[in-house]
Amino acid sequence: MTKPVTLPPATLGIIGGGQLGRMMAEAAKPLGYRVVVVDPQPDAPAGQVADQQLVAAYDDRVALAQLAQQCDVLTYEFENVDAETLAEVSTPAQLPQGVEILNITSDRLLEKQFIERQGIPVTDFQAVDHLDDLSAAVAKLGTPAILKTRHGGYDGHGQWNVPNPASVEQLLQTVDPKVGPFLLEKQLTFSEEVSMMVTRAADGQITTWPLAHNVHQDHILKVTQVNADDDPRLTEAAEAAAAKIAAGLQLRGVLGVEMFVVDHQIVVNELAPRPHNSGHYTIEGCNISQFEGHVRSIMGLPIAKPRLIEPEATMINLLGDQLTQAQQSLPDYPEWHFHDYQKDQIKPHRKMAHITVLGHANRQRLLEWEQTHHENN
């Protein structure tokens, strides 16, 4: 049976107008699709490159209904979408990704349980419904551990270290119980953090991008490096995990799979049901970007096998006023692929832009620049 294809000049609706929505729109436009974005911030990054922006809250039922009426296919740039309202205002044909993936990935407990059911290793964890349950969970799981909110939280927000049992008392005094329920995770000793983007076409064909090696700073992704000569065993293990998860979710669109490497084995940490920060290198580094792959998947178009254009690709995030430093450096670095998200204002630790370079020599120059140009808070 032939799967339905949504051809240009159909209209794609994107919930969320940040940098991910912007790059989705930038991938959809060359294919011939129209793009409409919903975001509460006027002139949002995605709204600047879309055909139209509806200025409204993400959970505004009237705005979401209007979006559904105007668009042939809907997608989103983050997982904390009002899934219930989205399902009410759209048809299944308009939402190839469905809402079940949102329900799973927006709840850290459900996400961990889902990954376990696929037979994939995850960090040991305990549900903490109320802060009163924290002491018992710490006694059972052990320390060091990390307490996380089950819903929301990103870039280190909604997370608290639990270095030892004695620290529980202080957490009970400082953490707002209203942000719960929580999840307690055992802190792993890992050699590195990696991630892989995966998508699944309308016919069920699963496609993965090259493995990304990530360095975080204060819980925010800072550097992603990709190498054609990676350890094939590590790549195969990551591909196998990503493929199992994609099949289990009946995935459409791109999914980011974040993983730890522990004793040369893969342990899955988190899932992101949309293009991921660590996949930005694919825009210039691969024959097909994660964003074009996302658009092709939800529109029912075939997806070419991603491959690196050069043996090495490197991406760095620019946080806060690093943006202005990089703008001033542009004349000296012709090899930079520079992406300014054009956000309304510079804020500390805010992702303002990213730079990608290809090749080893360019990688060294970029990392040297980054080491001497730090964010000034």
Side-chain angles (χ1 to χ4, degrees):
M1 178 179 176
T2 304
K3 297 290 183 179
V5 178
T6 305
L7 293 173
T11 302
L12 172 64
I14 304 174
I15 301 170
Q19 64 264 26
L20 294 178
R22 180 188 182 100
M23 288 180 272
M24 285 183 197
E26 289 172 338
K29 292 298 294 178
L31 289 169
Y33 293 104
R34 296 189 73 256
V35 178
V36 180
V37 173
V38 170
D39 195 276
Q41 174 65 48
D43 198 34
Q48 296 169 26
V49 299
D51 295 280
Q52 181 183 355
Q53 179 184 339
L54 304 178
V55 180
Y58 306 124
D59 59 354
D60 185 321
R61 194 184 190 286
V62 173
L64 292 180
Q66 182 181 349
L67 184 73
Q69 290 169 1
Q70 292 183 227
C71 300
D72 299 280
V73 173
L74 302 177
T75 189
Y76 36 80
E77 69 156 5
F78 54 87
E79 47 269 49
N80 296 310
V81 174
D82 187 339
E84 184 176 342
T85 301
L86 184 56
E88 288 175 358
V89 302
S90 64
T91 66
Q94 283 182 298
L95 196 63
Q97 293 164 273
V99 296
E100 182 59 19
I101 188 173
L102 287 174
N103 294 330
I104 292 172
T105 57
S106 64
D107 185 322
R108 287 190 169 93
L109 177 60
L110 298 184
E111 183 177 87
K112 285 281 194 292
Q113 292 171 335
F114 167 79
I115 298 168
E116 277 193 321
R117 289 197 299 273
Q118 312 313 306
I120 299 169
V122 296
T123 310
D124 291 340
F125 63 92
Q126 287 286 314
V128 180
D129 293 333
H130 308 283
L131 282 180
D132 293 344
D133 305 323
L134 181 57
S135 294
V138 167
K140 187 171 184 179
L141 191 66
T143 55
I146 303 173
L147 181 69
K148 299 181 179 181
T149 55
R150 278 176 56 179
H151 304 280
Y154 64 95
D155 291 345
H157 299 288
Q159 298 185 23
W160 301 269
N161 289 325
V162 188
N164 50 58
S167 62
V168 171
E169 189 61 36
Q170 182 179 356
L171 283 176
L172 294 177
Q173 301 298 321
T174 57
V175 178
D176 184 354
K178 294 178 182 178
V179 301
F182 306 90
L183 185 75
L184 186 70
E185 294 182 7
K186 189 68 179 292
Q187 191 168 316
L188 285 177
T189 300
F190 55 87
S191 57
E192 63 173 328
E193 297 179 64
V194 297
S195 58
M196 181 169 280
M197 308 307 114
V198 60
T199 192
R200 180 174 166 274
D203 63 3
Q205 180 68 38
I206 293 173
T207 299
T208 58
W209 277 262
L211 187 67
H213 300 256
N214 304 315
V215 177
H216 288 77
Q217 178 181 303
D218 298 326
H219 301 286
I220 302 173
L221 179 65
K222 192 59 189 165
V223 180
T224 291
Q225 300 188 57
V226 186
N227 307 285
D229 60 352
D230 250 338
D231 181 347
R233 294 168 297 180
L234 185 63
T235 297
E236 288 167 7
E239 287 176 343
K244 281 184 180 180
I245 291 168
L249 290 169
Q250 294 290 288
L251 178 68
R252 292 289 295 278
V254 162
L255 178 82
V257 184
E258 299 178 66
M259 298 168 269
F260 298 126
V261 180
V262 181
D263 296 330
H264 306 288
Q265 303 296 317
I266 289 294
V267 176
V268 172
N269 180 32
E270 291 184 342
L271 307 178
R274 34 75 181 171
H276 190 264
N277 191 176
S278 64
H280 291 352
Y281 78 89
T282 63
I283 298 174
E284 290 86 20
C286 293
N287 58 312
I288 181 170
S289 75
Q290 63 167 344
F291 297 100
E292 183 178 345
H294 180 80
V295 172
R296 284 179 168 273
S297 175
I298 60 178
M299 293 300 190
L301 296 172
I303 304 164
K305 172 60 180 172
R307 56 177 174 77
L308 282 174
I309 292 173
E310 291 197 24
E312 297 184 22
T314 305
M315 186 279 302
I316 66 167
N317 276 323
L318 298 177
L319 307 179
D321 68 356
Q322 274 191 311
L323 169 63
T324 55
Q325 297 177 56
Q327 288 170 331
Q328 293 164 4
S329 298
L330 273 173
D332 300 321
Y333 294 89
E335 70 273 17
W336 281 5
H337 298 283
F338 186 75
H339 293 259
D340 184 343
Y341 305 148
Q342 295 186 289
K343 293 187 175 180
D344 59 329
Q345 56 183 306
I346 293 175
K347 297 179 182 178
H349 308 309
R350 192 182 195 189
K351 294 172 184 171
M352 302 302 302
H354 76 262
I355 300 168
T356 299
V357 297
L358 306 182
H360 183 73
N362 291 336
R363 167 187 289 185
Q364 294 304 114
R365 273 171 53 87
L366 179 61
L367 294 179
E368 287 169 4
W369 181 90
E370 205 282 328
Q371 288 169 4
T372 57
H373 293 76
H374 302 292
E375 180 184 11
N376 297 312
N377 298 327

